[in-house]
C-alpha cells in the first residue's frame, strides 16, 4: 500500500490487468471463470488499497499461476505465442529475490532438498450468499529452481486443516517439486549469495 501510494486507481487497475487478472487465460478449460476485476472508476477508498495485496478481485488458479510465471520469466507474460513485457527485468529480479526470502520462512516444512524455491502464499476468505464467512481457500505458488526457473507450481486447497497457504498447501508443492526435479533431471541450485531483506 505504501509502495503504491503514488499510483492512481487507473494505474493500479492497468498494472493488475497486465498480469492477466480479470481476463480469460485462453486455455478454454471447462467452467473456467475470468474472475472479477471491477473497473477502477467503481472502486471505493478501501478497494483502491486492498487490490494492492490481493483482495477486491478474484482469480482462478491458472490466472494466479500465470501471474507468478511473469516473475519466473524475467517480467514477461506469454500468451498464445506472444510475449508481452509486464514489468522491468530489474523489478522482476527484486521480486523473485523477495519471494525466495519469503519461501525460506517456510523452509522447515516446505523445502525440496538441493533446490532453491521462491514462493507466495495466499489465504482467501469466502463469503456466502448472506455475506457471512463460509469457507477458507489457501494456496501456495512456487517457482523452482529459484536461481534458474523451470517450473511454477500452484496448489490450492479448500477448507484445509489450518488456514495459511504456506502451512497447508506448501507441503503439497514439495511433493510435486521433488517429482519434477527428478523426472526432468534438473541440476541442483547454486548457493544463494544475494538475499534481499523482506523484514523492516
Amino acid at each position: 500500500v505504501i509502495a503504491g501510494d503514488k499510483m492512481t486507481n487507473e494505474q493500479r487497475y492497468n498494472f493488475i490487468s497486465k498480469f492477466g487478472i480479470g481476463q480469460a487465460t485462453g486455455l478454454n478449460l471447462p467452467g473456467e471463470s475470468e474472475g472479477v476485476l471491477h473497473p477502477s472508476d467503481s472502486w471505493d477508498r478501501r478497494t483502491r488499497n486492498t487490490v494492492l495485496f490481493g483482495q477486491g478481485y478474484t482469480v482462478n488458479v491458472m490466472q494466479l499461476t500465470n501471474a507468478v510465471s511473469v516473475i519466473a520469466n524475467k517480467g514477461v507474460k506469454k500468451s498464445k505465442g506472444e510475449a508481452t513485457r509486464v514489468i522491468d527485468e530489474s523489478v522482476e529480479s527484486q521480486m523473485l529475490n523477495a519471494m525466495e526470502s519469503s519461501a525460506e520462512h517456510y523452509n522447515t516444512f516446505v523445502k525440496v532438498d538441493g533446490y532453491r524455491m521462491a514462493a507466495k502464499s495466499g489465504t482467501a476468505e469466502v463469503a456466502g450468499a448472506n455475506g457471512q464467512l463460509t469457507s477458507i481457500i489457501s494456496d501456495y505458488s512456487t517457482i523452482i529452481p529459484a536461481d534458474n526457473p523451470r517450473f511454477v507450481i500452484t496448489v490450492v486447497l479448500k477448507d484445509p486443516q489450518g488456514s495459511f497457504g504456506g502451512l497447508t498447501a506448501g507441503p503439497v508443492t514439495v511433493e510435486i517439486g521433488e517429482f519434477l526435479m527428478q523426472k526432468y533431471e534438473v541440476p541442483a541450485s547454486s548457493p544463494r549469495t544475494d538475499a534481499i531483506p523482506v523484514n523492516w
Side-chain angles (χ1 to χ4, degrees):
V1 171
I2 294 170
D5 188 51
K6 296 185 179 358
M7 297 176 72
T8 66
N9 286 5
E10 185 177 10
Q11 287 173 318
R12 296 173 193 216
Y13 176 89
N14 288 339
F15 231 106
I16 295 167
S17 296
K18 281 184 180 180
F19 281 89
I21 306 304
Q23 303 158 39
T25 62
L27 296 174
N28 299 317
L29 299 173
E32 180 183 352
S33 166
E34 292 184 2
V36 176
L37 176 60
H38 296 293
S40 59
D41 58 10
S42 70
W43 295 351
D44 58 22
R45 290 174 63 189
R46 181 175 187 272
T47 302
R48 75 181 303 268
N49 288 321
T50 59
V51 296
L52 298 175
F53 52 84
Q55 295 183 358
Y57 58 88
T58 64
V59 298
N60 65 41
V61 68
M62 291 310 302
Q63 290 169 327
L64 176 58
T65 304
N66 282 339
V68 174
S69 294
V70 169
I71 306 299
N73 198 39
K74 300 189 182 303
V76 173
K77 180 177 180 287
K78 293 186 177 179
S79 178
K80 297 181 180 178
E82 294 184 6
T84 305
R85 177 153 299 282
V86 176
I87 55 175
D88 186 80
E89 193 169 339
S90 66
V91 175
E92 169 276 330
S93 178
Q94 292 176 60
M95 286 298 302
L96 182 64
N97 198 334
M99 289 173 67
E100 187 170 359
S101 291
S102 176
E104 287 177 352
H105 176 72
Y106 296 102
N107 257 357
T108 53
F109 48 91
V110 184
K111 183 178 182 181
V112 176
D113 287 337
Y115 297 93
R116 289 162 49 185
M117 301 167 73
K120 177 68 181 81
S121 64
T123 307
E125 298 175 336
V126 181
N130 63 358
Q132 303 255 330
L133 176 64
T134 59
S135 199
I136 292 285
I137 304 291
S138 69
D139 63 79
Y140 200 75
S141 286
T142 304
I143 298 169
I144 183 169
D147 55 321
N148 183 25
R150 290 280 305 275
F151 298 95
V152 174
I153 305 164
T154 301
V155 173
V156 179
L157 301 177
K158 181 180 180 191
D159 293 325
Q161 294 182 344
S163 57
F164 298 111
L167 302 174
T168 56
V172 183
T173 68
V174 171
E175 294 186 36
I176 298 169
E178 288 174 340
F179 170 79
L180 291 172
M181 297 302 97
Q182 182 180 26
K183 177 176 174 58
Y184 293 99
E185 299 180 344
V186 178
S189 291
S190 57
R192 190 175 187 204
T193 59
D194 61 346
I196 192 172
V198 289
N199 296 316
W200 65 90

